[in-house]
Amino acid sequence: MKKIYLLGVLATIMLAGCSSAKTTESSSADTSAAESKLTDETSIAGTDADITFTVGFDQDFPPMGFVGDDGEFTGFDLDLAADVAKRLGKEIKYQPIAWDAKDMELTSGNIDCIWNGFSTKNREDKYTWTKPYMKNDQVFVVRSDSGINSFEDLAGKTVEVQIDSSAEAVLKENTELSSTFAKLQTVADFNTGFMDLEMGGVDALAMNSVVANYQITKRGGEGFKVLDKPLSSEEYAVGFKLGNTILRDEVQTALEEMKADGTLKIISEKWFGKDVTTLE
């Protein structure tokens, strides 16, 4: 009798243990599935690349991209980017960057592209590019009363360029010219560069002609002049991380639509008084 009773108890315990194990396994599986589903949903919902278009730019680079009088980001390139984002069904996000940190920003995914008077010259193989949409020259800006009228007059002078800019790359390559300078130095942005030039801290600025002419006009059109001979010629395009052809192609298609319907011309006339775009 006792044996039968003990066997019954043991059977009950074993059944309870199996039931508990199955319940634990089921609960664990349900939790794992729920976590997996949550992770997937969070991943999908949190993919900013699907809903935003983040443009990296130098905020001290008028008229391409800068801080307007109202404190908002504005500029020719930023207007183009905003229209492209709208056509792609994305929200535009302007991301100011330090120009010498642009590669890190792009590689890390903090920005989708660099769009700010970005020259392809000497960078052809470093980025995935759209087709060029604008031409530009690198030029020297000097004070009107400086007596500097040619490259030869720059001998023994202090010349300033924005760090990691096209002008810096050109002058480092053209040692025949740059070796005649007393000093070639860099500056973080051209607003500071113009102040240095105005105060006599430097004798000349090497920079983009588009930006140079805009800066001079904003300062009343007097006090500075651009040397007649350009340092080099270049083209502007939108630069993406090397290999990112999918987003590049989407942006390129949008730009071509803007060319066809006249939007490029309208935005260009707003900033320059004429159509300076070259996209074909």
Side-chain angles (χ1 to χ4, degrees):
M1 190 71 181
K2 289 182 179 180
K3 289 182 179 180
I4 293 173
Y5 175 76
L6 288 172
L7 287 172
V9 172
L10 288 171
T12 301
I13 292 173
M14 290 177 68
L15 286 172
C18 290
S19 176
S20 175
K22 288 180 180 179
T23 301
T24 301
E25 290 174 1
S26 176
S27 176
S28 176
D30 290 345
T31 301
S32 178
E35 288 176 347
S36 176
K37 182 179 179 182
L38 180 60
T39 300
D40 290 342
E41 290 177 350
T42 302
S43 176
I44 293 171
T47 304
D48 288 344
D50 292 338
I51 58 176
T52 62
F53 181 46
T54 305
V55 175
F57 73 106
D58 176 356
Q59 68 176 18
D60 296 304
F61 203 61
M64 313 310 281
F66 61 104
V67 181
D69 294 335
D70 60 358
E72 299 294 326
F73 295 130
T74 187
F76 173 64
D77 278 342
L78 299 192
D79 279 358
L80 295 182
D83 201 280
V84 164
K86 182 179 179 180
R87 292 169 189 257
L88 297 182
K90 296 176 182 285
E91 178 186 350
I92 188 68
K93 180 180 178 182
Y94 300 133
Q95 182 60 57
I97 58 175
W99 198 242
D100 58 341
K102 60 185 178 295
D103 291 343
M104 179 188 69
E105 297 279 1
L106 192 60
T107 302
S108 67
N110 288 339
I111 58 176
D112 293 318
C113 67
I114 302 169
W115 196 340
N116 192 210
F118 197 29
S119 170
T120 62
K121 191 175 182 65
N122 298 319
R123 300 186 178 115
E124 291 86 351
D125 300 326
K126 295 181 179 180
Y127 306 89
T128 291
W129 298 97
T130 61
K131 295 177 181 177
Y133 61 88
M134 187 174 177
K135 290 183 177 179
N136 181 63
D137 290 328
Q138 293 295 328
V139 297
F140 287 108
V141 181
V142 299
R143 293 186 302 279
S144 299
D145 60 359
S146 66
I148 300 174
N149 299 298
S150 66
F151 287 4
E152 290 73 22
D153 295 334
L154 292 170
K157 306 297 185 182
T158 298
V159 178
E160 194 164 71
V161 294
Q162 183 183 34
I163 187 170
D164 203 32
S165 65
S166 297
E168 182 184 22
V170 170
L171 286 173
K172 283 184 175 180
E173 186 177 290
N174 188 352
T175 55
E176 183 178 351
L177 174 60
S178 59
S179 63
T180 67
F181 304 159
K183 186 178 183 181
L184 176 62
Q185 64 186 43
T186 59
V187 67
D189 60 80
F190 284 119
N191 283 330
T192 304
F194 262 91
M195 287 190 287
D196 291 343
L197 183 60
E198 187 172 26
M199 295 173 63
V202 298
D203 300 297
L205 285 175
M207 61 187 299
N208 301 280
S209 62
V210 171
V211 179
N213 289 318
Y214 182 86
Q215 289 274 15
I216 292 172
T217 300
K218 289 289 285 185
R219 287 170 165 76
E222 299 178 356
F224 307 96
K225 65 180 180 181
V226 175
L227 298 190
D228 292 335
K229 184 180 177 180
L231 178 58
S232 67
S233 296
E234 61 190 17
E235 293 180 308
Y236 288 159
V238 186
F240 299 82
K241 182 179 178 180
L242 195 63
N244 188 2
T245 57
I246 294 177
L247 184 56
R248 186 275 311 274
D249 290 347
E250 292 177 351
V251 171
Q252 182 63 51
T253 298
L255 284 171
E256 289 171 359
E257 291 175 355
M258 292 165 66
K259 172 69 175 180
D261 65 23
T263 304
L264 282 184
K265 181 175 182 290
I266 291 171
I267 295 176
S268 179
E269 289 177 340
K270 168 187 172 181
W271 287 99
F272 304 109
K274 60 181 179 179
D275 187 6
V276 300
T277 61
T278 58
L279 188 66
E280 296 180 355

